[in-house]
């Protein structure tokens, strides 16, 4: 009886992990951009349709890696009427921060979907991580910018 329960639990866990691992692949929605009452959603495949940018940088949480993905401003400009309002980013764990839209327009901030050429998974701060080129632009390597480097990003809302 106990053996059957253990097998059942393992099968359920394997099924759950399969859903979790594939939930952010291909055509599944990984990002919502909300402008008032309008919501535009993006899959990894859709984000890959934007021009891709990459740079190598270290972060306060990682050693030096190559990050790649579309520019945040390109994705926002395709989805929002204006970048003048307050932008609020929300992570999968409900971490919420206001983004400085001036920084997003002035610097090559990317929505990193890949680290070292591999799609980012939840366990390595994916599927999307707002990434600043800290090594190339040392003026960005400050706490106020670090707080806007949202990993496991799930939505951006214009207010």
């Amino acid at each position: 009886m106990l053996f059957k329960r253990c097998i059942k639990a393992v099968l359920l866990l394997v099924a759950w992990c399969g859903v979790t691992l594939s939930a952010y692949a291909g055509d599944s929605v990984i990002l919502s951009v909300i402008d008032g009452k309008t919501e535009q959603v993006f899959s990894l495949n859709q984000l890959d349709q934007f021009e891709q940018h990459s740079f190598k940088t270290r972060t306060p949480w990682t050693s030096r890696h190559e990050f790649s993905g579309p520019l945040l401003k390109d994705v926002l400009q395709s989805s929002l009427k204006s970048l003048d309002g307050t932008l609020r980013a929300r992570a999968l764990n409900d971490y919420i921060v206001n983004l400085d839209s001036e920084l997003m327009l002035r610097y090559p901030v990317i929505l990193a979907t890949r680290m070292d050429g591999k799609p980012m998974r939840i366990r390595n701060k994916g599927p999307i991580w707002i990434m600043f080129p800290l090594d190339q632009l040392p003026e960005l390597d400050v706490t106020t910018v670090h707080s806007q480097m949202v990993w496991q990003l799930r939505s951006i809302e214009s207010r």
Side-chain angles (χ1 to χ4, degrees):
M1 183 75 159
L2 180 60
F3 179 74
K4 285 183 180 180
R5 284 186 182 165
C6 288
I7 294 296
K8 193 175 189 177
V10 168
L11 290 174
L12 286 171
L13 180 62
V14 167
W16 179 81
C17 286
V19 168
T20 301
L21 293 177
S22 66
Y24 295 106
D27 293 322
S28 299
V29 171
I30 61 170
L31 177 66
S32 296
V33 179
I34 303 159
D35 191 5
K37 294 182 182 181
T38 305
E39 177 180 22
Q40 184 166 352
V41 295
F42 295 93
S43 66
L44 179 58
N45 288 340
Q46 290 170 313
L47 291 174
D48 285 347
Q49 298 306 307
F50 287 90
E51 182 180 349
Q52 300 294 295
H53 298 263
S54 66
F55 50 77
K56 289 183 179 180
T57 193
R58 51 147 190 77
T59 74
W61 310 278
T62 66
S63 59
R64 189 174 167 91
H65 291 280
E66 180 179 31
F67 295 94
S68 59
L71 288 176
L72 175 56
K73 70 179 176 183
D74 289 350
V75 174
L76 293 179
Q77 287 172 338
S78 79
S79 308
L80 302 176
K81 294 174 195 150
S82 169
L83 294 178
D84 292 337
T86 301
L87 298 174
R88 179 173 286 170
R90 181 184 300 262
L92 291 174
N93 67 357
D94 284 330
Y95 172 77
I96 298 171
V97 67
N98 288 335
L99 301 176
D100 182 340
S101 56
E102 277 189 41
L103 287 177
M104 306 307 152
L105 293 171
R106 184 181 316 149
Y107 296 104
V109 181
I110 63 172
L111 291 175
T113 57
R114 288 175 176 74
M115 183 167 52
D116 299 326
K118 297 177 185 171
M120 296 180 65
R121 297 172 54 177
I122 290 173
R123 74 170 57 170
N124 66 351
K125 302 188 180 347
I128 301 173
W129 189 356
I130 296 176
M131 187 59 57
F132 288 79
L134 301 178
D135 285 359
Q136 293 80 8
L137 300 164
E139 69 267 26
L140 296 175
D141 198 2
V142 295
T143 305
T144 55
V145 171
H146 297 164
S147 69
Q148 295 178 64
M149 296 175 68
V150 179
W151 59 72
Q152 298 176 339
L153 179 70
R154 76 171 178 181
S155 66
I156 299 175
E157 183 177 352
S158 175
R159 299 180 153 244

